[in-house]
Short mmCIF file of all heavy atoms in Angstrom, two decimals:
data_model
loop_
_atom_site.label_atom_id
_atom_site.label_comp_id
_atom_site.label_asym_id
_atom_site.label_seq_id
_atom_site.Cartn_x
_atom_site.Cartn_y
_atom_site.Cartn_z
N MET O 291 -39.12 19.59 1.46
CA MET O 291 -38.84 18.21 1.10
C MET O 291 -37.39 18.02 0.69
O MET O 291 -36.78 17.01 0.99
CB MET O 291 -39.79 17.80 -0.04
CG MET O 291 -39.76 16.35 -0.36
SD MET O 291 -40.43 15.44 1.03
CE MET O 291 -40.24 13.81 0.45
N GLY O 292 -36.86 19.02 0.01
CA GLY O 292 -35.46 18.96 -0.42
C GLY O 292 -34.51 18.94 0.77
O GLY O 292 -33.48 18.26 0.76
N ALA O 293 -34.86 19.67 1.84
CA ALA O 293 -34.01 19.69 3.03
C ALA O 293 -34.00 18.32 3.70
O ALA O 293 -32.96 17.88 4.21
CB ALA O 293 -34.52 20.75 4.01
N LEU O 294 -35.13 17.64 3.70
CA LEU O 294 -35.17 16.30 4.30
C LEU O 294 -34.33 15.31 3.49
O LEU O 294 -33.70 14.43 4.06
CB LEU O 294 -36.61 15.82 4.39
CG LEU O 294 -37.50 16.56 5.40
CD1 LEU O 294 -38.92 16.02 5.33
CD2 LEU O 294 -36.93 16.41 6.79
N LEU O 295 -34.32 15.49 2.18
CA LEU O 295 -33.50 14.62 1.34
C LEU O 295 -32.01 14.83 1.63
O LEU O 295 -31.25 13.87 1.72
CB LEU O 295 -33.80 14.88 -0.14
CG LEU O 295 -33.07 13.99 -1.13
CD1 LEU O 295 -33.44 12.53 -0.90
CD2 LEU O 295 -33.40 14.40 -2.54
N TRP O 296 -31.60 16.10 1.79
CA TRP O 296 -30.21 16.38 2.12
C TRP O 296 -29.86 15.89 3.52
O TRP O 296 -28.70 15.54 3.80
CB TRP O 296 -29.92 17.88 2.01
CG TRP O 296 -29.68 18.28 0.59
CD1 TRP O 296 -30.55 18.95 -0.22
CD2 TRP O 296 -28.53 18.00 -0.20
NE1 TRP O 296 -30.02 19.10 -1.46
CE2 TRP O 296 -28.75 18.53 -1.48
CE3 TRP O 296 -27.32 17.35 0.05
CZ2 TRP O 296 -27.83 18.45 -2.50
CZ3 TRP O 296 -26.40 17.26 -0.97
CH2 TRP O 296 -26.65 17.80 -2.22
N LEU O 297 -30.79 15.85 4.42
CA LEU O 297 -30.55 15.32 5.76
C LEU O 297 -30.44 13.80 5.73
O LEU O 297 -29.73 13.21 6.54
CB LEU O 297 -31.69 15.75 6.71
CG LEU O 297 -31.55 15.33 8.16
CD1 LEU O 297 -30.31 15.94 8.78
CD2 LEU O 297 -32.78 15.74 8.95
N LEU O 298 -31.11 13.18 4.80
CA LEU O 298 -31.08 11.72 4.70
C LEU O 298 -29.70 11.20 4.29
O LEU O 298 -29.28 10.13 4.72
CB LEU O 298 -32.13 11.27 3.68
CG LEU O 298 -32.37 9.78 3.55
CD1 LEU O 298 -32.89 9.22 4.86
CD2 LEU O 298 -33.35 9.51 2.42
N ILE O 299 -28.96 11.97 3.52
CA ILE O 299 -27.64 11.54 3.05
C ILE O 299 -26.68 11.30 4.21
O ILE O 299 -26.07 10.24 4.31
CB ILE O 299 -27.08 12.54 2.01
CG1 ILE O 299 -27.95 12.51 0.74
CG2 ILE O 299 -25.62 12.22 1.68
CD1 ILE O 299 -27.63 13.60 -0.25
N PRO O 300 -26.48 12.25 5.14
CA PRO O 300 -25.56 11.98 6.25
C PRO O 300 -26.06 10.88 7.20
O PRO O 300 -25.27 10.15 7.78
CB PRO O 300 -25.42 13.30 6.99
CG PRO O 300 -26.32 14.26 6.34
CD PRO O 300 -26.91 13.64 5.13
N VAL O 301 -27.38 10.75 7.32
CA VAL O 301 -27.92 9.69 8.17
C VAL O 301 -27.59 8.33 7.57
O VAL O 301 -27.15 7.41 8.27
CB VAL O 301 -29.45 9.88 8.36
CG1 VAL O 301 -30.06 8.66 9.02
CG2 VAL O 301 -29.73 11.13 9.17
N LEU O 302 -27.77 8.18 6.28
CA LEU O 302 -27.42 6.92 5.62
C LEU O 302 -25.91 6.66 5.67
O LEU O 302 -25.48 5.52 5.86
CB LEU O 302 -27.92 6.92 4.17
CG LEU O 302 -29.44 6.86 4.00
CD1 LEU O 302 -29.81 6.96 2.52
CD2 LEU O 302 -30.00 5.61 4.62
N ALA O 303 -25.12 7.71 5.55
CA ALA O 303 -23.67 7.56 5.64
C ALA O 303 -23.26 7.11 7.05
O ALA O 303 -22.37 6.27 7.21
CB ALA O 303 -22.98 8.86 5.28
N ALA O 304 -23.92 7.64 8.08
CA ALA O 304 -23.61 7.24 9.45
C ALA O 304 -23.99 5.78 9.69
O ALA O 304 -23.26 5.04 10.35
CB ALA O 304 -24.33 8.16 10.43
N ILE O 305 -25.12 5.37 9.14
CA ILE O 305 -25.54 3.97 9.28
C ILE O 305 -24.55 3.05 8.57
O ILE O 305 -24.14 2.02 9.11
CB ILE O 305 -26.98 3.78 8.76
CG1 ILE O 305 -27.97 4.49 9.68
CG2 ILE O 305 -27.32 2.30 8.65
CD1 ILE O 305 -29.38 4.55 9.13
N ALA O 306 -24.15 3.44 7.37
CA ALA O 306 -23.18 2.63 6.62
C ALA O 306 -21.84 2.55 7.35
O ALA O 306 -21.21 1.49 7.42
CB ALA O 306 -22.99 3.20 5.22
N ALA O 307 -21.40 3.66 7.94
CA ALA O 307 -20.14 3.68 8.68
C ALA O 307 -20.22 2.80 9.92
O ALA O 307 -19.27 2.09 10.26
CB ALA O 307 -19.78 5.11 9.08
N THR O 308 -21.36 2.80 10.59
CA THR O 308 -21.54 1.95 11.77
C THR O 308 -21.50 0.48 11.39
O THR O 308 -20.86 -0.33 12.08
CB THR O 308 -22.88 2.29 12.46
OG1 THR O 308 -22.88 3.68 12.80
CG2 THR O 308 -23.08 1.46 13.70
N LEU O 309 -22.17 0.13 10.31
CA LEU O 309 -22.16 -1.26 9.86
C LEU O 309 -20.76 -1.69 9.45
O LEU O 309 -20.31 -2.79 9.78
CB LEU O 309 -23.14 -1.44 8.69
CG LEU O 309 -24.62 -1.32 9.06
CD1 LEU O 309 -25.46 -1.36 7.79
CD2 LEU O 309 -25.01 -2.43 10.01
N TYR O 310 -20.04 -0.83 8.75
CA TYR O 310 -18.68 -1.17 8.34
C TYR O 310 -17.76 -1.32 9.55
O TYR O 310 -16.92 -2.22 9.60
CB TYR O 310 -18.12 -0.11 7.39
CG TYR O 310 -16.68 -0.38 7.03
CD1 TYR O 310 -16.35 -1.39 6.14
CD2 TYR O 310 -15.65 0.34 7.63
CE1 TYR O 310 -15.03 -1.66 5.82
CE2 TYR O 310 -14.33 0.06 7.32
CZ TYR O 310 -14.03 -0.93 6.43
OH TYR O 310 -12.72 -1.19 6.13
N ALA O 311 -17.88 -0.44 10.52
CA ALA O 311 -17.03 -0.52 11.72
C ALA O 311 -17.29 -1.82 12.47
O ALA O 311 -16.36 -2.46 12.96
CB ALA O 311 -17.28 0.68 12.62
N GLY O 312 -18.53 -2.23 12.57
CA GLY O 312 -18.85 -3.50 13.21
C GLY O 312 -18.29 -4.68 12.44
O GLY O 312 -17.76 -5.62 13.03
N TRP O 313 -18.36 -4.63 11.14
CA TRP O 313 -17.83 -5.71 10.30
C TRP O 313 -16.31 -5.76 10.41
O TRP O 313 -15.72 -6.84 10.51
CB TRP O 313 -18.27 -5.50 8.86
CG TRP O 313 -17.71 -6.52 7.92
CD1 TRP O 313 -18.10 -7.81 7.77
CD2 TRP O 313 -16.64 -6.32 6.99
NE1 TRP O 313 -17.34 -8.43 6.81
CE2 TRP O 313 -16.44 -7.53 6.31
CE3 TRP O 313 -15.84 -5.22 6.68
CZ2 TRP O 313 -15.46 -7.67 5.35
CZ3 TRP O 313 -14.88 -5.37 5.70
CH2 TRP O 313 -14.70 -6.59 5.06
N ALA O 314 -15.65 -4.60 10.39
CA ALA O 314 -14.19 -4.55 10.48
C ALA O 314 -13.71 -5.04 11.84
O ALA O 314 -12.71 -5.74 11.93
CB ALA O 314 -13.70 -3.13 10.20
N ALA O 315 -14.42 -4.72 12.91
CA ALA O 315 -14.02 -5.16 14.24
C ALA O 315 -14.23 -6.66 14.39
O ALA O 315 -13.48 -7.33 15.09
CB ALA O 315 -14.83 -4.40 15.29
N ARG O 316 -15.24 -7.20 13.74
CA ARG O 316 -15.50 -8.64 13.80
C ARG O 316 -14.35 -9.42 13.21
O ARG O 316 -13.94 -10.45 13.73
CB ARG O 316 -16.79 -8.96 13.05
CG ARG O 316 -17.15 -10.44 13.03
CD ARG O 316 -18.37 -10.68 12.16
NE ARG O 316 -18.21 -10.22 10.80
CZ ARG O 316 -17.65 -10.92 9.83
NH1 ARG O 316 -17.17 -12.10 10.07
NH2 ARG O 316 -17.55 -10.42 8.62
N ASN O 317 -13.77 -8.95 12.12
CA ASN O 317 -12.67 -9.64 11.47
C ASN O 317 -11.37 -9.50 12.24
O ASN O 317 -10.44 -10.26 12.03
CB ASN O 317 -12.46 -9.10 10.05
CG ASN O 317 -13.56 -9.58 9.13
OD1 ASN O 317 -14.21 -10.57 9.40
ND2 ASN O 317 -13.75 -8.85 8.04
N ASN O 318 -11.28 -8.56 13.15
CA ASN O 318 -10.04 -8.31 13.88
C ASN O 318 -10.01 -9.04 15.22
O ASN O 318 -9.06 -8.90 15.97
CB ASN O 318 -9.87 -6.80 14.09
CG ASN O 318 -8.45 -6.41 14.37
OD1 ASN O 318 -7.54 -7.21 14.16
ND2 ASN O 318 -8.26 -5.21 14.84
N ARG O 319 -11.02 -9.81 15.56
CA ARG O 319 -11.07 -10.49 16.85
C ARG O 319 -10.16 -11.71 16.92
O ARG O 319 -10.00 -12.29 17.97
CB ARG O 319 -12.49 -10.95 17.16
CG ARG O 319 -13.42 -9.81 17.44
CD ARG O 319 -14.80 -10.31 17.77
NE ARG O 319 -15.72 -9.20 17.77
CZ ARG O 319 -17.01 -9.33 17.68
NH1 ARG O 319 -17.55 -10.51 17.57
NH2 ARG O 319 -17.78 -8.27 17.69
N LYS O 320 -9.54 -12.09 15.82
CA LYS O 320 -8.71 -13.29 15.78
C LYS O 320 -7.30 -13.03 16.28
O LYS O 320 -6.44 -13.88 16.14
CB LYS O 320 -8.66 -13.83 14.35
CG LYS O 320 -10.02 -14.24 13.84
CD LYS O 320 -9.96 -14.67 12.40
CE LYS O 320 -11.34 -14.96 11.88
NZ LYS O 320 -11.35 -15.24 10.46
N SER O 321 -7.04 -11.87 16.85
CA SER O 321 -5.69 -11.56 17.32
C SER O 321 -5.32 -12.44 18.49
O SER O 321 -6.17 -12.92 19.23
CB SER O 321 -5.59 -10.08 17.72
OG SER O 321 -6.47 -9.83 18.79
N VAL O 322 -4.04 -12.67 18.66
CA VAL O 322 -3.57 -13.61 19.66
C VAL O 322 -3.55 -13.02 21.06
O VAL O 322 -3.50 -13.76 22.03
CB VAL O 322 -2.16 -14.14 19.29
CG1 VAL O 322 -2.25 -15.01 18.06
CG2 VAL O 322 -1.20 -13.01 19.10
N GLY O 323 -3.55 -11.73 21.18
CA GLY O 323 -3.63 -11.10 22.49
C GLY O 323 -2.27 -10.81 23.09
O GLY O 323 -1.23 -10.94 22.46
N ASP O 324 -2.30 -10.42 24.35
CA ASP O 324 -1.09 -9.99 25.03
C ASP O 324 -0.17 -11.14 25.41
O ASP O 324 1.02 -10.95 25.56
CB ASP O 324 -1.45 -9.21 26.29
CG ASP O 324 -2.08 -7.87 25.97
OD1 ASP O 324 -1.86 -7.38 24.86
OD2 ASP O 324 -2.78 -7.33 26.84
N VAL O 325 -0.71 -12.33 25.59
CA VAL O 325 0.09 -13.45 26.08
C VAL O 325 1.22 -13.76 25.10
O VAL O 325 2.39 -13.85 25.48
CB VAL O 325 -0.80 -14.69 26.33
CG1 VAL O 325 0.06 -15.88 26.71
CG2 VAL O 325 -1.82 -14.39 27.40
N GLU O 326 0.90 -13.89 23.83
CA GLU O 326 1.94 -14.21 22.85
C GLU O 326 2.88 -13.04 22.64
O GLU O 326 4.07 -13.21 22.43
CB GLU O 326 1.32 -14.63 21.52
CG GLU O 326 2.38 -15.04 20.53
CD GLU O 326 1.85 -15.98 19.49
OE1 GLU O 326 0.87 -16.67 19.73
OE2 GLU O 326 2.48 -16.01 18.42
N GLU O 327 2.36 -11.83 22.72
CA GLU O 327 3.21 -10.66 22.57
C GLU O 327 4.22 -10.58 23.71
O GLU O 327 5.40 -10.30 23.48
CB GLU O 327 2.35 -9.40 22.54
CG GLU O 327 3.13 -8.14 22.26
CD GLU O 327 2.22 -6.94 22.12
OE1 GLU O 327 1.04 -7.13 21.79
OE2 GLU O 327 2.72 -5.84 22.33
N LEU O 328 3.79 -10.86 24.93
CA LEU O 328 4.71 -10.85 26.06
C LEU O 328 5.72 -11.99 25.97
O LEU O 328 6.89 -11.82 26.34
CB LEU O 328 3.93 -10.94 27.37
CG LEU O 328 3.13 -9.70 27.73
CD1 LEU O 328 2.27 -9.96 28.95
CD2 LEU O 328 4.05 -8.52 27.95
N ALA O 329 5.30 -13.15 25.47
CA ALA O 329 6.23 -14.26 25.29
C ALA O 329 7.29 -13.90 24.25
O ALA O 329 8.47 -14.21 24.43
CB ALA O 329 5.48 -15.52 24.87
N GLY O 330 6.90 -13.22 23.19
CA GLY O 330 7.86 -12.78 22.18
C GLY O 330 8.85 -11.77 22.75
O GLY O 330 10.04 -11.81 22.45
N TYR O 331 8.36 -10.88 23.59
CA TYR O 331 9.25 -9.90 24.22
C TYR O 331 10.24 -10.60 25.15
O TYR O 331 11.42 -10.25 25.19
CB TYR O 331 8.44 -8.86 24.99
CG TYR O 331 9.30 -7.91 25.78
CD1 TYR O 331 10.08 -6.96 25.13
CD2 TYR O 331 9.38 -7.98 27.16
CE1 TYR O 331 10.88 -6.08 25.84
CE2 TYR O 331 10.18 -7.12 27.88
CZ TYR O 331 10.93 -6.17 27.21
OH TYR O 331 11.74 -5.33 27.92
N THR O 332 9.78 -11.61 25.86
CA THR O 332 10.66 -12.37 26.75
C THR O 332 11.75 -13.07 25.94
O THR O 332 12.93 -13.05 26.33
CB THR O 332 9.85 -13.39 27.56
OG1 THR O 332 8.86 -12.70 28.31
CG2 THR O 332 10.73 -14.17 28.51
N ARG O 333 11.38 -13.68 24.82
CA ARG O 333 12.38 -14.33 23.96
C ARG O 333 13.38 -13.30 23.43
O ARG O 333 14.59 -13.56 23.39
CB ARG O 333 11.71 -15.05 22.80
CG ARG O 333 10.96 -16.30 23.20
CD ARG O 333 10.54 -17.11 21.99
NE ARG O 333 9.75 -16.36 21.03
CZ ARG O 333 8.42 -16.27 21.05
NH1 ARG O 333 7.73 -16.90 21.98
NH2 ARG O 333 7.79 -15.57 20.13
N PHE O 334 12.91 -12.14 23.05
CA PHE O 334 13.79 -11.08 22.56
C PHE O 334 14.77 -10.64 23.65
O PHE O 334 15.96 -10.49 23.41
CB PHE O 334 12.95 -9.89 22.08
CG PHE O 334 13.76 -8.67 21.77
CD1 PHE O 334 14.50 -8.59 20.61
CD2 PHE O 334 13.76 -7.60 22.64
CE1 PHE O 334 15.24 -7.46 20.33
CE2 PHE O 334 14.51 -6.47 22.37
CZ PHE O 334 15.25 -6.40 21.20
N ARG O 335 14.25 -10.43 24.86
CA ARG O 335 15.10 -9.99 25.97
C ARG O 335 16.16 -11.04 26.30
O ARG O 335 17.33 -10.70 26.53
CB ARG O 335 14.22 -9.70 27.19
CG ARG O 335 14.96 -8.92 28.25
CD ARG O 335 14.06 -8.57 29.40
NE ARG O 335 13.70 -9.81 30.07
CZ ARG O 335 12.49 -10.09 30.52
NH1 ARG O 335 11.51 -9.25 30.35
NH2 ARG O 335 12.24 -11.24 31.12
N GLU O 336 15.78 -12.32 26.29
CA GLU O 336 16.75 -13.38 26.55
C GLU O 336 17.82 -13.44 25.47
O GLU O 336 19.00 -13.65 25.76
CB GLU O 336 16.03 -14.73 26.67
CG GLU O 336 15.21 -14.85 27.93
CD GLU O 336 14.33 -16.09 27.93
OE1 GLU O 336 14.29 -16.80 26.89
OE2 GLU O 336 13.68 -16.34 28.96
N ALA O 337 17.43 -13.23 24.22
CA ALA O 337 18.40 -13.23 23.12
C ALA O 337 19.38 -12.07 23.28
O ALA O 337 20.58 -12.22 23.03
CB ALA O 337 17.68 -13.15 21.78
N MET O 338 18.89 -10.90 23.70
CA MET O 338 19.78 -9.76 23.89
C MET O 338 20.74 -10.01 25.06
O MET O 338 21.90 -9.62 25.00
CB MET O 338 18.96 -8.49 24.15
CG MET O 338 18.21 -7.98 22.94
SD MET O 338 19.32 -7.43 21.63
CE MET O 338 19.12 -8.72 20.44
N GLU O 339 20.27 -10.66 26.11
CA GLU O 339 21.15 -10.97 27.25
C GLU O 339 22.22 -11.98 26.84
O GLU O 339 23.37 -11.86 27.25
CB GLU O 339 20.33 -11.51 28.42
CG GLU O 339 19.48 -10.44 29.08
CD GLU O 339 18.55 -10.99 30.14
OE1 GLU O 339 18.56 -12.22 30.36
OE2 GLU O 339 17.83 -10.19 30.75
N ARG O 340 21.86 -12.96 26.00
CA ARG O 340 22.85 -13.92 25.52
C ARG O 340 23.89 -13.22 24.64
O ARG O 340 25.08 -13.49 24.74
CB ARG O 340 22.18 -15.05 24.73
CG ARG O 340 21.52 -16.08 25.60
CD ARG O 340 21.19 -17.33 24.80
NE ARG O 340 20.38 -17.06 23.60
CZ ARG O 340 19.06 -17.10 23.54
NH1 ARG O 340 18.36 -17.42 24.62
NH2 ARG O 340 18.42 -16.85 22.41
N ALA O 341 23.44 -12.30 23.80
CA ALA O 341 24.37 -11.58 22.93
C ALA O 341 25.33 -10.74 23.76
O ALA O 341 26.52 -10.65 23.47
CB ALA O 341 23.59 -10.70 21.95
N ARG O 342 24.83 -10.13 24.83
CA ARG O 342 25.68 -9.33 25.70
C ARG O 342 26.67 -10.22 26.43
O ARG O 342 27.85 -9.88 26.59
CB ARG O 342 24.84 -8.55 26.70
CG ARG O 342 25.67 -7.56 27.47
CD ARG O 342 24.90 -6.69 28.43
NE ARG O 342 23.48 -6.63 28.20
CZ ARG O 342 22.58 -6.48 29.17
NH1 ARG O 342 22.96 -6.41 30.43
NH2 ARG O 342 21.30 -6.41 28.89
N ALA O 343 26.25 -11.40 26.88
CA ALA O 343 27.14 -12.33 27.57
C ALA O 343 28.24 -12.82 26.62
O ALA O 343 29.39 -12.96 27.02
CB ALA O 343 26.36 -13.49 28.13
N ASP O 344 27.89 -13.07 25.36
CA ASP O 344 28.89 -13.48 24.38
C ASP O 344 29.91 -12.38 24.13
O ASP O 344 31.10 -12.64 23.99
CB ASP O 344 28.22 -13.89 23.06
CG ASP O 344 27.40 -15.15 23.19
OD1 ASP O 344 27.60 -15.90 24.18
OD2 ASP O 344 26.55 -15.39 22.30
N THR O 345 29.47 -11.15 24.09
CA THR O 345 30.36 -10.00 23.87
C THR O 345 31.28 -9.81 25.07
O THR O 345 32.47 -9.54 24.92
CB THR O 345 29.54 -8.72 23.62
OG1 THR O 345 28.65 -8.96 22.53
CG2 THR O 345 30.44 -7.57 23.28
N ASP O 346 30.73 -9.97 26.28
CA ASP O 346 31.53 -9.82 27.48
C ASP O 346 32.59 -10.91 27.58
O ASP O 346 33.71 -10.67 28.03
CB ASP O 346 30.64 -9.83 28.73
CG ASP O 346 29.76 -8.59 28.81
OD1 ASP O 346 30.07 -7.60 28.12
OD2 ASP O 346 28.76 -8.63 29.57
N ALA O 347 32.26 -12.13 27.17
CA ALA O 347 33.20 -13.24 27.24
C ALA O 347 34.33 -13.07 26.23
O ALA O 347 35.47 -13.46 26.48
CB ALA O 347 32.48 -14.56 26.99
N ALA O 348 34.05 -12.44 25.10
CA ALA O 348 35.07 -12.25 24.07
C ALA O 348 36.03 -11.13 24.45
O ALA O 348 37.17 -11.11 24.01
CB ALA O 348 34.41 -11.94 22.73
N ALA O 349 35.61 -10.21 25.27
CA ALA O 349 36.46 -9.06 25.64
C ALA O 349 37.36 -9.35 26.75
O ALA O 349 38.05 -10.09 27.11
CB ALA O 349 35.58 -7.90 26.07
#
């Protein structure tokens, strides 16, 4: 009986971990996705090209 009790502890821990992982993933679904990330990268790249053009014009 004692062995079954010790086996119950990791089983309950696995169930708790599964429930927590599902809850944590549910809260993370509000991310904006790749579209906004790619738009931000495009803005960054354009800003770097403008900075390079300004440097070239000054030289």
Side-chain angles (χ1 to χ4, degrees):
M291 189 66 182
L294 291 177
L295 183 61
W296 279 105
L297 183 61
L298 187 63
I299 294 171
V301 170
L302 291 176
I305 291 171
T308 303
L309 291 174
Y310 176 75
W313 177 75
R316 179 185 57 85
N317 287 338
N318 201 13
R319 291 182 191 162
K320 298 176 185 174
S321 62
V322 292
D324 291 338
V325 175
E326 184 155 335
E327 185 175 336
L328 290 173
Y331 174 70
T332 302
R333 289 191 304 270
F334 171 76
R335 194 177 67 222
E336 289 171 355
M338 290 295 108
E339 289 174 0
R340 282 195 306 268
R342 189 177 341 148
D344 292 343
T345 305
D346 292 343

